[in-house]
Amino acid sequence: MFKNLKLGVRLAIGFGIIVALMLIISLISLMRVSTLDDDITLIVSDLYPKTVWAGDIKDNINLAARALRNALLTDDKAVQNKELGRASEANQANLGAFEKLDKLVKSEKGIELLGKIKGSRDAYLSALARFTTLIHDEQKKEASEFIFKEIRPKQQAYFDAVENLIEFQHEKMTKAGEAADILASDTRTLILSLLAAALSLAFAAAWALTRSITAPTKKLVEASDKMALGDFNFKLDIDSRDEIGVLAHSMQAMQASVQAMV
């Protein structure tokens, strides 16, 4: 395979094979790492923030519920107004979370769940406005009945809708995490397999390259030793056309000249 190639070309081919294998392994590794980075970025920058914002909405729903209860339990107008203000602030804070979710929720299922949250939120806020009016008009009995008959069911529907979105995002995060874990495991296996194949091929190429140089060189050394001892009756079996072959041809010519002279 190598015997008719110049030594420099052989060495270049040998090193070229090693470099090519290194490049292949590096490129595959970079591609896999890039894909893994995309999966992690999806979890960190997309899926996880959605669960956090949805969780904030749940916290604000609970905060508003406690504020409504406090407003109902007290006869102090200042405390009532403060608690109703807390409920209003909690609902207002949720608007920021909804704006962020609107920008990031892109899947068909996610948009559907977000739409249900908004629908339940609107019904809840409408009931909350009615409750506030009853409190301001000092109709505590009606407000008490209203909070149990109207607000609580609507609040629970609102809460459940948010929880459904959180569960959906958790499921997607779990799947993305599992996919990243599988990709990492497959990448490790692939790189180790490619490394083993590359080492085997590199060793095979190195062995063939070394043999193509050392075998004829050994014959030349043996021929030189014989000639040094005055023995010119031998056959130098080297037919390559590389530098070693040129040297063998010169030695054969010298052998023929000496034999003719003798």
Side-chain angles (χ1 to χ4, degrees), residues 203-219:
F203 279 124
W207 181 84
L209 178 61
T210 302
R211 286 285 299 170
S212 71
I213 295 174
T214 57
T217 301
K218 182 180 179 181
K219 292 181 180 179

Side-chain angles (χ1 to χ4, degrees), residues 46-67:
D46 186 285
L47 301 177
Y48 177 69
K50 290 175 186 175
T51 62
V52 172
W53 298 328
D56 290 342
I57 292 174
K58 284 178 59 178
D59 291 341
N60 287 324
I61 294 173
N62 286 325
L63 192 156
R66 292 193 298 271

Side-chain angles (χ1 to χ4, degrees), residues 47-230:
L47 301 177
Y48 177 69
K50 290 175 186 175
T51 62
V52 172
W53 298 328
D56 290 342
I57 292 174
K58 284 178 59 178
D59 291 341
N60 287 324
I61 294 173
N62 286 325
L63 192 156
R66 292 193 298 271
L68 295 180
R69 180 200 61 195
N70 294 340
L72 183 63
L73 292 175
T74 183
D75 292 324
D76 189 323
K77 283 291 184 183
V79 175
Q80 283 181 351
N81 290 333
K82 180 180 178 181
E83 294 300 324
L84 291 175
R86 287 178 62 206
S88 178
E89 289 173 1
N91 292 320
Q92 190 67 29
N94 278 343
L95 293 178
F98 277 112
E99 288 178 1
K100 294 174 182 176
L101 288 172
D102 281 332
K103 292 178 181 178
L104 277 186
V105 174
K106 302 297 182 183
S107 68
E108 183 177 345
K109 179 67 174 178
I111 292 173
E112 177 188 345
L113 292 173
L114 187 58
K116 290 181 179 179
I117 295 175
K118 291 179 179 178
S120 60
R121 175 200 62 184
D122 293 342
Y124 169 74
L125 293 178
S126 177
L128 182 58
R130 174 59 181 161
F131 174 83
T132 303
T133 300
L134 292 173
I135 291 294
H136 286 318
D137 292 344
E138 298 184 358
Q139 300 181 48
K140 295 193 67 175
K141 181 179 179 181
E142 290 80 357
S144 179
E145 293 176 353
F146 189 79
I147 200 172
F148 284 101
K149 291 181 180 180
E150 296 293 334
I151 290 183
R152 287 289 295 276
K154 290 180 172 58
Q155 175 187 299
Q156 189 61 48
Y158 186 14
F159 198 88
D160 291 343
V162 176
E163 185 62 31
N164 288 337
L165 179 63
I166 292 176
E167 290 178 359
F168 174 67
Q169 293 303 133
H170 271 301
E171 183 180 349
K172 292 184 69 175
M173 272 201 301
T174 300
K175 290 181 178 179
E178 290 173 351
D181 184 59
I182 292 172
L183 178 63
S185 178
D186 289 347
T187 299
R188 181 168 54 251
T189 301
L190 177 62
I191 290 175
L192 289 175
S193 299
L194 288 174
L195 181 60
L199 288 174
S200 298
L201 185 57
F203 279 124
W207 181 84
L209 178 61
T210 302
R211 286 285 299 170
S212 71
I213 295 174
T214 57
T217 301
K218 182 180 179 181
K219 292 181 180 179
L220 285 175
V221 171
E222 291 174 351
S224 298
D225 289 341
K226 289 180 179 180
M227 293 172 65
L229 295 174

